[in-house]
Amino acid sequence: MKLTRALRLGLDGIYKTAGVLSALCLIAILGLIVMQMLARWTGEVFPGAAEYAGYAMAAASFMAFANALNKGIHIRVSILHQMLGKTAQRLLEIWCFAIGTATMWYFVYYAQRFVYWSWKFNDISQGQDRTPLWMPQSFMLIGAAILAIALTDHLLQLIFTGKHRVAPELEEAVAGE
């Protein structure tokens, strides 16, 4: 029981940390925009600002996915789900989480290869920043891996306990709309 609780605390900590990193990336985008504005006003050039903002946006998106899943703030279509009985709902949820989990692990596998080959060939961006592409791609890979872990977590939780861990209060609010 202690191991299960420690694992739960560890996974929830990873999901929350990824959410915080996502928020920090959004703050970095704001900082980049302000710095670019200041550079224009002073007649200076801030090379690569747009590229860095794009990297931060990709990192923010991928880092936010698992946290959004756990909090129930991702987009869901629940019309069919609400029309089904309890057993059919559970089977549909297992099927959806299984497909999502398999898809994300497939994505992680190829994203890892993508990052590796970018590193191996020293692939750099086409913009003025000349950033090695494996660096921003790594944030995408880490975020995707965390989402794959979260989906696996929900799938196993659903299979063994009959309930997933998507925040129920938001799920009920969506059902009431």
Side-chain angles (χ1 to χ4, degrees), residues 55-78:
Y55 302 150
M57 181 55 76
S61 298
F62 276 89
M63 289 295 186
F65 288 152
N67 195 35
L69 175 68
N70 286 341
K71 296 201 182 307
I73 54 179
H74 59 286
I75 297 172
R76 293 181 304 236
V77 179
S78 57

PDB file of all heavy atoms in Angstrom, residues 55-78:
ATOM      1  N   TYR A  55       9.335  27.597 -30.255  1.00  0.00           N
ATOM      2  CA  TYR A  55       9.817  26.465 -29.457  1.00  0.00           C
ATOM      3  C   TYR A  55       9.113  26.438 -28.097  1.00  0.00           C
ATOM      4  O   TYR A  55       8.708  25.375 -27.613  1.00  0.00           O
ATOM      5  CB  TYR A  55      11.332  26.555 -29.225  1.00  0.00           C
ATOM      6  CG  TYR A  55      12.183  26.606 -30.473  1.00  0.00           C
ATOM      7  CD1 TYR A  55      13.393  27.289 -30.466  1.00  0.00           C
ATOM      8  CD2 TYR A  55      11.792  25.983 -31.652  1.00  0.00           C
ATOM      9  CE1 TYR A  55      14.195  27.353 -31.593  1.00  0.00           C
ATOM     10  CE2 TYR A  55      12.588  26.042 -32.779  1.00  0.00           C
ATOM     11  CZ  TYR A  55      13.786  26.729 -32.745  1.00  0.00           C
ATOM     12  OH  TYR A  55      14.573  26.792 -33.862  1.00  0.00           O
ATOM     13  N   ALA A  56       8.978  27.615 -27.497  1.00  0.00           N
ATOM     14  CA  ALA A  56       8.329  27.696 -26.190  1.00  0.00           C
ATOM     15  C   ALA A  56       6.850  27.323 -26.292  1.00  0.00           C
ATOM     16  O   ALA A  56       6.302  26.691 -25.383  1.00  0.00           O
ATOM     17  CB  ALA A  56       8.493  29.096 -25.599  1.00  0.00           C
ATOM     18  N   MET A  57       6.206  27.685 -27.403  1.00  0.00           N
ATOM     19  CA  MET A  57       4.797  27.332 -27.583  1.00  0.00           C
ATOM     20  C   MET A  57       4.620  25.822 -27.730  1.00  0.00           C
ATOM     21  O   MET A  57       3.703  25.235 -27.144  1.00  0.00           O
ATOM     22  CB  MET A  57       4.210  28.050 -28.810  1.00  0.00           C
ATOM     23  CG  MET A  57       2.740  27.746 -29.043  1.00  0.00           C
ATOM     24  SD  MET A  57       1.687  28.089 -27.636  1.00  0.00           S
ATOM     25  CE  MET A  57       1.602  29.839 -27.707  1.00  0.00           C
ATOM     26  N   ALA A  58       5.499  25.195 -28.485  1.00  0.00           N
ATOM     27  CA  ALA A  58       5.429  23.736 -28.632  1.00  0.00           C
ATOM     28  C   ALA A  58       5.677  23.058 -27.285  1.00  0.00           C
ATOM     29  O   ALA A  58       4.967  22.118 -26.909  1.00  0.00           O
ATOM     30  CB  ALA A  58       6.445  23.262 -29.663  1.00  0.00           C
ATOM     31  N   ALA A  59       6.674  23.539 -26.553  1.00  0.00           N
ATOM     32  CA  ALA A  59       6.974  22.969 -25.235  1.00  0.00           C
ATOM     33  C   ALA A  59       5.798  23.175 -24.289  1.00  0.00           C
ATOM     34  O   ALA A  59       5.407  22.253 -23.558  1.00  0.00           O
ATOM     35  CB  ALA A  59       8.241  23.595 -24.664  1.00  0.00           C
ATOM     36  N   ALA A  60       5.193  24.370 -24.300  1.00  0.00           N
ATOM     37  CA  ALA A  60       4.052  24.653 -23.426  1.00  0.00           C
ATOM     38  C   ALA A  60       2.885  23.717 -23.737  1.00  0.00           C
ATOM     39  O   ALA A  60       2.244  23.188 -22.832  1.00  0.00           O
ATOM     40  CB  ALA A  60       3.614  26.111 -23.580  1.00  0.00           C
ATOM     41  N   SER A  61       2.638  23.500 -25.013  1.00  0.00           N
ATOM     42  CA  SER A  61       1.530  22.626 -25.403  1.00  0.00           C
ATOM     43  C   SER A  61       1.752  21.199 -24.929  1.00  0.00           C
ATOM     44  O   SER A  61       0.899  20.614 -24.263  1.00  0.00           O
ATOM     45  CB  SER A  61       1.357  22.635 -26.922  1.00  0.00           C
ATOM     46  OG  SER A  61       1.050  23.920 -27.372  1.00  0.00           O
ATOM     47  N   PHE A  62       2.895  20.647 -25.257  1.00  0.00           N
ATOM     48  CA  PHE A  62       3.140  19.244 -24.915  1.00  0.00           C
ATOM     49  C   PHE A  62       3.265  19.028 -23.405  1.00  0.00           C
ATOM     50  O   PHE A  62       2.836  18.004 -22.886  1.00  0.00           O
ATOM     51  CB  PHE A  62       4.375  18.716 -25.649  1.00  0.00           C
ATOM     52  CG  PHE A  62       4.061  18.247 -27.038  1.00  0.00           C
ATOM     53  CD1 PHE A  62       4.116  19.125 -28.105  1.00  0.00           C
ATOM     54  CD2 PHE A  62       3.675  16.944 -27.282  1.00  0.00           C
ATOM     55  CE1 PHE A  62       3.800  18.710 -29.383  1.00  0.00           C
ATOM     56  CE2 PHE A  62       3.351  16.510 -28.552  1.00  0.00           C
ATOM     57  CZ  PHE A  62       3.418  17.401 -29.615  1.00  0.00           C
ATOM     58  N   MET A  63       3.845  19.994 -22.707  1.00  0.00           N
ATOM     59  CA  MET A  63       3.977  19.849 -21.255  1.00  0.00           C
ATOM     60  C   MET A  63       2.621  19.957 -20.549  1.00  0.00           C
ATOM     61  O   MET A  63       2.447  19.426 -19.465  1.00  0.00           O
ATOM     62  CB  MET A  63       4.927  20.910 -20.690  1.00  0.00           C
ATOM     63  CG  MET A  63       6.366  20.687 -21.052  1.00  0.00           C
ATOM     64  SD  MET A  63       6.964  19.163 -20.304  1.00  0.00           S
ATOM     65  CE  MET A  63       8.671  19.260 -20.741  1.00  0.00           C
ATOM     66  N   ALA A  64       1.666  20.639 -21.159  1.00  0.00           N
ATOM     67  CA  ALA A  64       0.358  20.847 -20.524  1.00  0.00           C
ATOM     68  C   ALA A  64      -0.597  19.671 -20.715  1.00  0.00           C
ATOM     69  O   ALA A  64      -1.566  19.548 -19.975  1.00  0.00           O
ATOM     70  CB  ALA A  64      -0.281  22.114 -21.072  1.00  0.00           C
ATOM     71  N   PHE A  65      -0.354  18.816 -21.689  1.00  0.00           N
ATOM     72  CA  PHE A  65      -1.319  17.768 -22.035  1.00  0.00           C
ATOM     73  C   PHE A  65      -1.687  16.851 -20.864  1.00  0.00           C
ATOM     74  O   PHE A  65      -2.865  16.609 -20.606  1.00  0.00           O
ATOM     75  CB  PHE A  65      -0.810  16.920 -23.196  1.00  0.00           C
ATOM     76  CG  PHE A  65      -0.828  17.620 -24.530  1.00  0.00           C
ATOM     77  CD1 PHE A  65       0.073  17.259 -25.520  1.00  0.00           C
ATOM     78  CD2 PHE A  65      -1.725  18.630 -24.817  1.00  0.00           C
ATOM     79  CE1 PHE A  65       0.070  17.894 -26.751  1.00  0.00           C
ATOM     80  CE2 PHE A  65      -1.740  19.279 -26.042  1.00  0.00           C
ATOM     81  CZ  PHE A  65      -0.832  18.898 -27.016  1.00  0.00           C
ATOM     82  N   ALA A  66      -0.709  16.319 -20.141  1.00  0.00           N
ATOM     83  CA  ALA A  66      -1.003  15.367 -19.063  1.00  0.00           C
ATOM     84  C   ALA A  66      -1.748  16.044 -17.924  1.00  0.00           C
ATOM     85  O   ALA A  66      -2.702  15.482 -17.369  1.00  0.00           O
ATOM     86  CB  ALA A  66       0.287  14.724 -18.555  1.00  0.00           C
ATOM     87  N   ASN A  67      -1.317  17.245 -17.569  1.00  0.00           N
ATOM     88  CA  ASN A  67      -1.985  17.976 -16.495  1.00  0.00           C
ATOM     89  C   ASN A  67      -3.426  18.299 -16.884  1.00  0.00           C
ATOM     90  O   ASN A  67      -4.338  18.187 -16.062  1.00  0.00           O
ATOM     91  CB  ASN A  67      -1.190  19.239 -16.166  1.00  0.00           C
ATOM     92  CG  ASN A  67      -1.599  19.854 -14.852  1.00  0.00           C
ATOM     93  OD1 ASN A  67      -1.941  19.152 -13.910  1.00  0.00           O
ATOM     94  ND2 ASN A  67      -1.578  21.159 -14.793  1.00  0.00           N
ATOM     95  N   ALA A  68      -3.630  18.699 -18.135  1.00  0.00           N
ATOM     96  CA  ALA A  68      -4.983  18.989 -18.612  1.00  0.00           C
ATOM     97  C   ALA A  68      -5.849  17.730 -18.579  1.00  0.00           C
ATOM     98  O   ALA A  68      -7.027  17.792 -18.207  1.00  0.00           O
ATOM     99  CB  ALA A  68      -4.931  19.562 -20.022  1.00  0.00           C
ATOM    100  N   LEU A  69      -5.280  16.598 -18.953  1.00  0.00           N
ATOM    101  CA  LEU A  69      -6.018  15.336 -18.910  1.00  0.00           C
ATOM    102  C   LEU A  69      -6.468  15.028 -17.491  1.00  0.00           C
ATOM    103  O   LEU A  69      -7.626  14.700 -17.255  1.00  0.00           O
ATOM    104  CB  LEU A  69      -5.154  14.193 -19.450  1.00  0.00           C
ATOM    105  CG  LEU A  69      -5.754  12.797 -19.345  1.00  0.00           C
ATOM    106  CD1 LEU A  69      -6.962  12.663 -20.271  1.00  0.00           C
ATOM    107  CD2 LEU A  69      -4.715  11.746 -19.680  1.00  0.00           C
ATOM    108  N   ASN A  70      -5.568  15.155 -16.540  1.00  0.00           N
ATOM    109  CA  ASN A  70      -5.902  14.827 -15.152  1.00  0.00           C
ATOM    110  C   ASN A  70      -6.927  15.773 -14.554  1.00  0.00           C
ATOM    111  O   ASN A  70      -7.718  15.373 -13.707  1.00  0.00           O
ATOM    112  CB  ASN A  70      -4.637  14.837 -14.290  1.00  0.00           C
ATOM    113  CG  ASN A  70      -3.791  13.623 -14.555  1.00  0.00           C
ATOM    114  OD1 ASN A  70      -4.273  12.635 -15.090  1.00  0.00           O
ATOM    115  ND2 ASN A  70      -2.538  13.691 -14.195  1.00  0.00           N
ATOM    116  N   LYS A  71      -6.918  17.005 -14.977  1.00  0.00           N
ATOM    117  CA  LYS A  71      -7.864  17.991 -14.438  1.00  0.00           C
ATOM    118  C   LYS A  71      -9.190  17.999 -15.196  1.00  0.00           C
ATOM    119  O   LYS A  71     -10.115  18.705 -14.811  1.00  0.00           O
ATOM    120  CB  LYS A  71      -7.238  19.376 -14.446  1.00  0.00           C
ATOM    121  CG  LYS A  71      -6.032  19.466 -13.524  1.00  0.00           C
ATOM    122  CD  LYS A  71      -5.750  20.874 -13.142  1.00  0.00           C
ATOM    123  CE  LYS A  71      -4.538  21.024 -12.261  1.00  0.00           C
ATOM    124  NZ  LYS A  71      -4.500  20.222 -11.089  1.00  0.00           N
ATOM    125  N   GLY A  72      -9.269  17.232 -16.268  1.00  0.00           N
ATOM    126  CA  GLY A  72     -10.518  17.142 -17.025  1.00  0.00           C
ATOM    127  C   GLY A  72     -10.809  18.374 -17.854  1.00  0.00           C
ATOM    128  O   GLY A  72     -11.964  18.636 -18.157  1.00  0.00           O
ATOM    129  N   ILE A  73      -9.769  19.109 -18.247  1.00  0.00           N
ATOM    130  CA  ILE A  73     -10.003  20.336 -19.011  1.00  0.00           C
ATOM    131  C   ILE A  73      -9.662  20.177 -20.484  1.00  0.00           C
ATOM    132  O   ILE A  73      -9.493  21.150 -21.186  1.00  0.00           O
ATOM    133  CB  ILE A  73      -9.255  21.538 -18.387  1.00  0.00           C
ATOM    134  CG1 ILE A  73      -7.783  21.240 -18.211  1.00  0.00           C
ATOM    135  CG2 ILE A  73      -9.884  21.927 -17.078  1.00  0.00           C
ATOM    136  CD1 ILE A  73      -6.982  22.382 -17.620  1.00  0.00           C
ATOM    137  N   HIS A  74      -9.541  18.962 -20.944  1.00  0.00           N
ATOM    138  CA  HIS A  74      -9.351  18.712 -22.370  1.00  0.00           C
ATOM    139  C   HIS A  74     -10.734  18.566 -23.016  1.00  0.00           C
ATOM    140  O   HIS A  74     -11.738  18.420 -22.328  1.00  0.00           O
ATOM    141  CB  HIS A  74      -8.502  17.456 -22.572  1.00  0.00           C
ATOM    142  CG  HIS A  74      -9.113  16.243 -21.952  1.00  0.00           C
ATOM    143  ND1 HIS A  74      -9.111  16.029 -20.602  1.00  0.00           N
ATOM    144  CD2 HIS A  74      -9.763  15.200 -22.492  1.00  0.00           C
ATOM    145  CE1 HIS A  74      -9.738  14.901 -20.334  1.00  0.00           C
ATOM    146  NE2 HIS A  74     -10.142  14.376 -21.466  1.00  0.00           N
ATOM    147  N   ILE A  75     -10.777  18.617 -24.306  1.00  0.00           N
ATOM    148  CA  ILE A  75     -12.043  18.545 -25.026  1.00  0.00           C
ATOM    149  C   ILE A  75     -12.500  17.088 -25.107  1.00  0.00           C
ATOM    150  O   ILE A  75     -11.741  16.204 -25.493  1.00  0.00           O
ATOM    151  CB  ILE A  75     -11.901  19.132 -26.438  1.00  0.00           C
ATOM    152  CG1 ILE A  75     -11.548  20.610 -26.335  1.00  0.00           C
ATOM    153  CG2 ILE A  75     -13.178  18.935 -27.247  1.00  0.00           C
ATOM    154  CD1 ILE A  75     -11.198  21.242 -27.656  1.00  0.00           C
ATOM    155  N   ARG A  76     -13.763  16.880 -24.740  1.00  0.00           N
ATOM    156  CA  ARG A  76     -14.344  15.536 -24.827  1.00  0.00           C
ATOM    157  C   ARG A  76     -15.715  15.640 -25.474  1.00  0.00           C
ATOM    158  O   ARG A  76     -16.418  16.629 -25.304  1.00  0.00           O
ATOM    159  CB  ARG A  76     -14.517  14.933 -23.434  1.00  0.00           C
ATOM    160  CG  ARG A  76     -13.260  14.642 -22.722  1.00  0.00           C
ATOM    161  CD  ARG A  76     -13.569  14.030 -21.378  1.00  0.00           C
ATOM    162  NE  ARG A  76     -14.442  14.906 -20.630  1.00  0.00           N
ATOM    163  CZ  ARG A  76     -14.165  15.366 -19.428  1.00  0.00           C
ATOM    164  NH1 ARG A  76     -13.068  15.031 -18.834  1.00  0.00           N
ATOM    165  NH2 ARG A  76     -15.008  16.163 -18.805  1.00  0.00           N
ATOM    166  N   VAL A  77     -16.085  14.604 -26.158  1.00  0.00           N
ATOM    167  CA  VAL A  77     -17.431  14.510 -26.702  1.00  0.00           C
ATOM    168  C   VAL A  77     -18.102  13.369 -25.949  1.00  0.00           C
ATOM    169  O   VAL A  77     -17.710  12.218 -26.069  1.00  0.00           O
ATOM    170  CB  VAL A  77     -17.411  14.228 -28.225  1.00  0.00           C
ATOM    171  CG1 VAL A  77     -18.825  14.106 -28.756  1.00  0.00           C
ATOM    172  CG2 VAL A  77     -16.639  15.322 -28.939  1.00  0.00           C
ATOM    173  N   SER A  78     -19.098  13.697 -25.145  1.00  0.00           N
ATOM    174  CA  SER A  78     -19.654  12.694 -24.240  1.00  0.00           C
ATOM    175  C   SER A  78     -21.109  12.341 -24.526  1.00  0.00           C
ATOM    176  O   SER A  78     -21.760  11.715 -23.702  1.00  0.00           O
ATOM    177  CB  SER A  78     -19.513  13.184 -22.797  1.00  0.00           C
ATOM    178  OG  SER A  78     -20.144  14.414 -22.625  1.00  0.00           O
TER     179      SER A  78
END
